[in-house]
Amino acid sequence: MNHILIIGFVWPEPNSSAAGSRMMQLIALFKTQDWKITFASPAAETEHMISFENIDVPKVTIKLNNSSFDEFIIEQQPNIVLFDRFMTEEQFGWRVTKYCPDALKILNTEDLHSLRKTRQESFKSNTIFNSNKLLQNDITKREIASIYRCDLSLIISDFEIKLLKETFKIDEDLLFYLPFLFKPITTETKKGWPEHKNRKHFVTIGNFRHEPNWNSVLHLKETIWPLIRKELPESELHIYGAYPPPKATQLHNPKEGFHIKGWAKNSKEIMSQARVCLAPLRFGAGIKGKLAEAMLCGTPSITTSIGAEGMLDEESDWNGFVADDPLEFAKAAVRLHNNETLWQQSQQNGIEITNTRFQEKIFCNLFLDKVSKLQKNLNKHRTKNFIGSLLQHHTLRSTEFMSRWIEEKNKA
């Protein structure tokens, strides 16, 4: 039986973020195989984190730059270690390699942080994003180095898989495409959805600590929502998200139909009651949880090309409309809100996207098969990955001694 140690950047909050939902999907997959699971994190506990007791998974709080982790990993002796985001691999990867060298090391990227950060920097500097900027960014070098140091990296978007292969020339043996994992939407599922006439208002959902979400809310407030409200003066936009700061709650204005609602205990219920989901994302990466959830709830959506990235191909039609221009975005939102036939077709498009791109059974079996093959041929796999070995060698020297220096400094 496999024993997998998950080292989380944060404690999972599936009702607050797509990353939290993604982690719970992975944990559920490992539990179907009866793997022993331990979840560890150096993060502070939060009010919205899951109850590990309820899912029967031991949780352990670990410390950064502290040799207590060495004792912990020696005692645990996992044969698989999953790093949640590259930052945890930077902190703990060298310790895992030193004290548990035969463990299969998997990096769960969530999304490519370097892609998201570089796009964000380009947006804020009002410059055009391109691959050269990505290649020159220090965070890119850190993230790509982490991918090389691991035996396998889970990539949630096929756009990001292509980017890593073509721009960074990373061997496909080091990458595994693992999108969101959903059960098929059936006819019975669809029967349980509220109809067009029984839904009302617009909705958007997203953790306010995630910069693309906050920027999206501002874009709605300042530009898009006034255009929609002009055509639909009785309509409302309900904005949900964990950890809204004062600058967000101050935007609450019922007279304008602009409602800041805060954290959603049951986001699916809220999404199912809305007629249209709005997500005018101007930068970001990965697959957008709010848009995937909208499809699972039969709620058509309007988003941008960034929002639809990794969820749409040339042969598919979107679960609504994709529009980057604010005026076109607003016009599409009004059309989708008012036209029941168009709304129903968009809903059906969402079903087809979910059932073709995010099939839980297919991807779970492929992933488990990949893990099994790697475990049987780990030495050969690592010998082939010379760049990873080179980076691992230098990391063990530089990161280890930096960490030990910090630990001694903290003691003093």
Side-chain angles (χ1 to χ4, degrees):
M1 180 179 71
N2 282 318
H3 175 196
I4 183 166
L5 169 64
I6 303 172
I7 305 179
F9 181 66
V10 295
W11 301 105
E13 294 187 20
N15 290 330
S16 299
S17 69
S21 298
R22 160 72 158 191
M23 179 53 68
M24 296 311 298
Q25 289 177 359
L26 293 176
I27 290 175
L29 169 59
F30 302 146
K31 287 182 74 69
T32 64
Q33 303 303 300
D34 293 324
W35 290 4
K36 178 182 178 182
I37 307 169
T38 304
F39 196 103
S41 177
E45 296 189 4
T46 62
E47 59 179 313
H48 301 314
M49 63 184 281
I50 63 160
S51 168
F52 283 88
E53 289 184 0
N54 290 345
I55 62 171
D56 195 26
V57 171
K59 66 177 272 287
V60 180
T61 299
I62 53 179
K63 295 180 179 180
L64 296 170
N65 302 307
N66 196 296
S67 56
S68 60
F69 181 83
D70 304 343
E71 299 169 9
F72 168 71
I73 195 75
I74 291 170
E75 179 184 344
Q76 289 285 316
Q77 282 299 302
N79 59 338
I80 302 175
V81 176
L82 186 143
F83 302 100
D84 182 36
R85 303 171 173 86
F86 78 90
M87 297 82 83
T88 58
E89 189 279 331
E90 286 182 326
Q91 286 285 343
F92 298 101
W94 68 268
R95 294 183 185 273
V96 171
T97 297
K98 186 169 184 177
Y99 297 104
C100 213
D102 296 326
L104 178 69
K105 295 186 297 182
I106 301 175
L107 174 63
N108 178 38
T109 59
E110 297 292 359
D111 61 25
L112 284 183
H113 286 54
S114 53
L115 177 62
R116 172 161 45 86
K117 289 291 186 182
T118 307
R119 281 175 168 168
Q120 179 177 329
E121 291 169 6
S122 296
F123 174 80
K124 291 193 171 182
S125 63
N126 199 26
T127 56
I128 298 174
F129 167 83
N130 56 49
S131 58
N132 285 338
K133 289 186 177 182
L134 186 61
L135 289 164
Q136 293 165 7
N137 202 325
D138 285 348
I139 194 173
T140 305
K141 297 164 189 173
R142 290 171 55 195
E143 188 164 35
I144 297 302
S146 182
I147 288 173
Y148 271 113
R149 284 192 298 264
C150 289
D151 300 307
L152 189 69
S153 290
L154 307 183
I155 312 300
I156 203 167
S157 160
D158 55 4
F159 173 86
E160 294 177 2
I161 282 277
K162 184 179 179 181
L163 179 71
L164 291 169
K165 288 180 180 179
E166 296 182 0
T167 301
F168 296 98
K169 311 302 180 185
I170 296 178
D171 192 314
E172 63 181 1
D173 285 345
L174 297 176
L175 308 172
F176 190 83
Y177 173 53
L178 192 68
F180 284 144
L181 306 171
F182 298 136
K183 289 180 171 58
I185 298 175
T186 64
T187 303
E188 289 302 310
T189 305
K190 187 177 178 180
K191 286 180 181 178
W193 291 340
E195 297 178 4
H196 177 272
K197 64 182 179 181
N198 295 326
R199 296 176 182 237
K200 59 181 180 179
H201 303 316
F202 296 85
V203 70
T204 190
I205 298 179
N207 192 320
F208 281 93
R209 289 179 177 174
H210 191 59
E211 187 63 25
N213 290 336
W214 167 236
N215 181 270
S216 173
V217 170
L218 284 177
H219 193 32
L220 284 164
K221 174 70 174 180
E222 297 168 357
T223 307
I224 295 175
W225 182 244
L227 296 171
I228 296 174
R229 180 80 168 178
K230 184 178 179 181
E231 298 298 320
L232 301 170
E234 301 301 316
S235 64
E236 297 178 6
L237 172 59
H238 296 175
I239 300 168
Y240 291 86
Y243 309 109
K247 64 181 180 180
T249 55
Q250 288 170 6
L251 299 180
H252 180 73
N253 191 329
K255 290 183 179 179
E256 297 176 354
F258 199 86
H259 298 262
I260 303 294
K261 296 284 191 174
W263 183 65
K265 185 176 181 180
N266 189 332
S267 58
K268 285 188 177 180
E269 181 178 329
I270 290 164
M271 186 67 77
S272 297
Q273 297 302 318
R275 188 172 288 184
V276 178
C277 173
L278 304 179
L281 297 159
R282 292 187 282 187
F283 52 86
I287 296 178
K288 316 311 178 293
K290 64 177 72 61
L291 296 172
E293 186 165 71
M295 295 180 195
L296 293 174
C297 296
T299 307
S301 61
I302 318 289
T303 191
T304 59
S305 54
I306 290 287
E309 184 179 276
M311 303 179 76
L312 190 64
D313 54 46
E314 295 178 357
E315 299 177 358
S316 303
D317 292 318
W318 183 247
N319 175 44
F321 292 97
V322 177
D324 293 320
D325 176 75
L327 183 58
E328 293 302 315
F329 191 104
K331 286 181 178 179
V334 173
R335 282 185 63 202
L336 195 54
H337 180 276
N338 291 343
N339 189 320
E340 184 174 357
T341 301
L342 179 62
W343 188 90
Q344 290 173 341
Q345 181 56 55
S346 298
Q347 185 184 76
Q348 186 60 38
N349 294 343
I351 293 173
E352 291 175 7
I353 290 171
T354 301
N355 288 352
T356 55
R357 294 186 67 92
F358 306 125
Q359 278 281 357
E360 178 185 61
K361 187 174 182 180
I362 293 173
F363 286 107
C364 285
N365 289 337
L366 289 171
F367 173 58
L368 293 171
D369 183 59
K370 179 71 173 182
V371 169
S372 178
K373 288 179 179 177
L374 283 177
Q375 287 180 307
K376 292 175 183 177
N377 300 282
L378 191 55
N379 288 335
K380 183 179 179 181
H381 178 74
R382 288 178 174 174
T383 299
K384 183 181 176 183
N385 180 20
F386 178 74
I387 294 177
S389 300
L390 182 150
L391 290 168
Q392 191 68 63
H393 170 78
H394 285 286
T395 299
L396 279 169
R397 302 276 68 78
S398 59
T399 309
E400 174 182 358
F401 289 117
M402 174 59 77
S403 181
R404 295 199 184 285
W405 179 80
I406 292 173
E407 183 175 7
E408 290 301 318
K409 186 171 180 288
N410 289 339
K411 287 180 181 177

